[in-house]
Amino acid sequence: MNGEVIIEDTLERLGTEATSGYIAHAYGYEGTCEVVFNDNRFLFEAGDCLIIISNKLVERVTPSEGFRCKVIYIAARFLEMCTPEHNNYYMTGTMSLYRNPVMRLISEEQEMCEADFREVERRLRHTSHHFYQEALMSVVRTLFLDFYDFHARLYGCMEVPFQGGLILARFFAMLESGAYREHREVAYYASELCVVPKYLSELCYKVSGLSANYWIRRFTVQEIKKLLNDRSLSIARISERLHFSSPSYFNRYVRKNLGVSPLDYRR
């Protein structure tokens, strides 16, 4: 099996460490599946396309009886190689998928999506091809461009200036790598990206409708919830792991963002 592209028939591994570092692209065939992502509930139905940009923001996946889908996990580094050059629409799509990972497809798009999935699966099996990697990259790029087209119909075709898109991509790469565990101030990320905090916040808001501080907080809160659900970790240990200056500060942060204390969250 090509480790850069993995195809499965269930969403069992979505949001787990096993698929960390992969972008999930799923198509629903039958039934429904509730996905809690970025603290919001989304219904993934037959004929829909689900794209999970961040495994870290997946909280729960609950399929209905008889739910059937196909999911293609593509390693982020491989997907980057397949991204069309000089097309910065990727960042627009990425930001909206952080907010809503489900795309409702019309019948023509459903047929196209099913055909794309079949072709990726076929190419993945055809390992004897003398130009296997290039052929696989070609069909993944086609899949990617079709997703661009589906997204543009749903949300419009606004593109981000190249430099702005690069800054946002680096900002989210820092969050995905776990920088929020130590750094929760916009100023830190702005400094690393060689821009002023106001510009980074305005850029995030322009593209996603939400501030840079919101995204830093969302990644932090999702990590806190996952760690609090691990009863083997003490609250003091979680506070240390996330580099809070003290357990009392951690307690205040959790109260502010979850509405309850760490102890009450665990009850």
Side-chain angles (χ1 to χ4, degrees), residues 26-194:
Y27 180 78
Y29 287 96
E30 290 182 18
T32 62
C33 182
E34 183 184 82
V35 178
V36 180
F37 175 81
N38 194 19
D39 215 29
N40 292 298
R41 288 179 173 80
F42 298 96
L43 191 63
F44 175 37
E45 302 179 280
D48 290 347
C49 179
L50 172 75
I51 303 179
I52 297 294
I53 296 292
S54 174
N55 232 27
K56 293 179 182 294
L57 298 181
V58 177
E59 192 168 340
R60 190 171 64 255
V61 179
T62 311
S64 68
E65 186 176 352
F67 174 71
R68 206 165 57 83
C69 74
K70 184 76 73 174
V71 56
I72 302 177
Y73 291 103
I74 305 176
R77 63 183 181 279
F78 185 74
L79 193 56
E80 187 176 344
M81 292 167 57
C82 300
T83 303
E85 295 179 9
H86 311 302
N87 188 326
N88 215 28
Y89 189 75
Y90 169 78
M91 203 60 234
T92 302
T94 295
M95 295 297 279
S96 65
L97 290 170
Y98 270 111
R99 298 186 67 179
N100 183 352
V102 177
M103 289 195 289
R104 304 263 184 252
L105 306 184
I106 59 177
S107 58
E108 180 182 354
E109 293 167 343
Q110 291 169 357
E111 292 173 7
M112 191 178 299
C113 192
E114 290 182 36
D116 286 342
F117 271 53
R118 285 194 300 269
E119 185 61 14
V120 171
E121 192 166 19
R122 186 178 75 84
R123 285 293 179 182
L124 191 61
R125 291 195 304 266
H126 196 187
T127 56
S128 62
H129 195 292
H130 287 91
F131 304 96
Y132 174 72
Q133 193 81 344
E134 290 81 358
L136 183 60
M137 287 175 64
S138 176
V139 294
V140 168
R141 176 175 286 204
T142 298
L143 176 77
F144 210 44
L145 286 171
D146 284 340
F147 287 152
Y148 278 5
D149 187 55
F150 303 158
H151 185 276
R153 176 188 63 81
L154 288 165
Y155 300 106
C157 203
M158 181 189 78
E159 288 198 21
V160 184
F162 181 79
Q163 190 61 31
L166 186 61
I167 289 169
L168 283 179
R170 289 179 59 199
F171 172 58
F172 275 85
M174 291 170 73
L175 292 176
E176 290 288 352
S177 71
Y180 58 86
R181 296 187 184 106
E182 293 187 59
H183 305 287
R184 286 177 283 276
E185 300 296 329
V186 175
Y188 167 80
Y189 296 90
S191 176
E192 291 293 302
L193 296 168
C194 301

Side-chain angles (χ1 to χ4, degrees), residues 148-253:
Y148 278 5
D149 187 55
F150 303 158
H151 185 276
R153 176 188 63 81
L154 288 165
Y155 300 106
C157 203
M158 181 189 78
E159 288 198 21
V160 184
F162 181 79
Q163 190 61 31
L166 186 61
I167 289 169
L168 283 179
R170 289 179 59 199
F171 172 58
F172 275 85
M174 291 170 73
L175 292 176
E176 290 288 352
S177 71
Y180 58 86
R181 296 187 184 106
E182 293 187 59
H183 305 287
R184 286 177 283 276
E185 300 296 329
V186 175
Y188 167 80
Y189 296 90
S191 176
E192 291 293 302
L193 296 168
C194 301
V195 297
V196 297
K198 182 179 179 182
Y199 175 76
L200 179 58
S201 288
E202 288 178 347
L203 187 61
C204 274
Y205 195 82
K206 178 183 178 181
V207 180
S208 73
L210 297 161
S211 69
N213 190 57
Y214 167 86
W215 290 111
I216 297 168
R217 189 169 61 249
R218 286 310 315 152
F219 275 83
T220 305
V221 168
Q222 288 302 108
E223 178 95 352
I224 287 172
K225 288 163 75 172
K226 287 183 179 180
L227 292 174
L228 286 174
N229 286 330
D230 182 352
R231 299 305 179 100
S232 70
L233 294 173
S234 69
I235 290 172
R237 180 72 187 98
I238 295 171
S239 175
E240 290 174 6
R241 182 177 288 193
L242 295 177
H243 297 271
F244 282 88
S245 58
S246 68
S248 60
Y249 177 42
F250 175 68
N251 185 71
R252 291 197 300 273
Y253 188 93

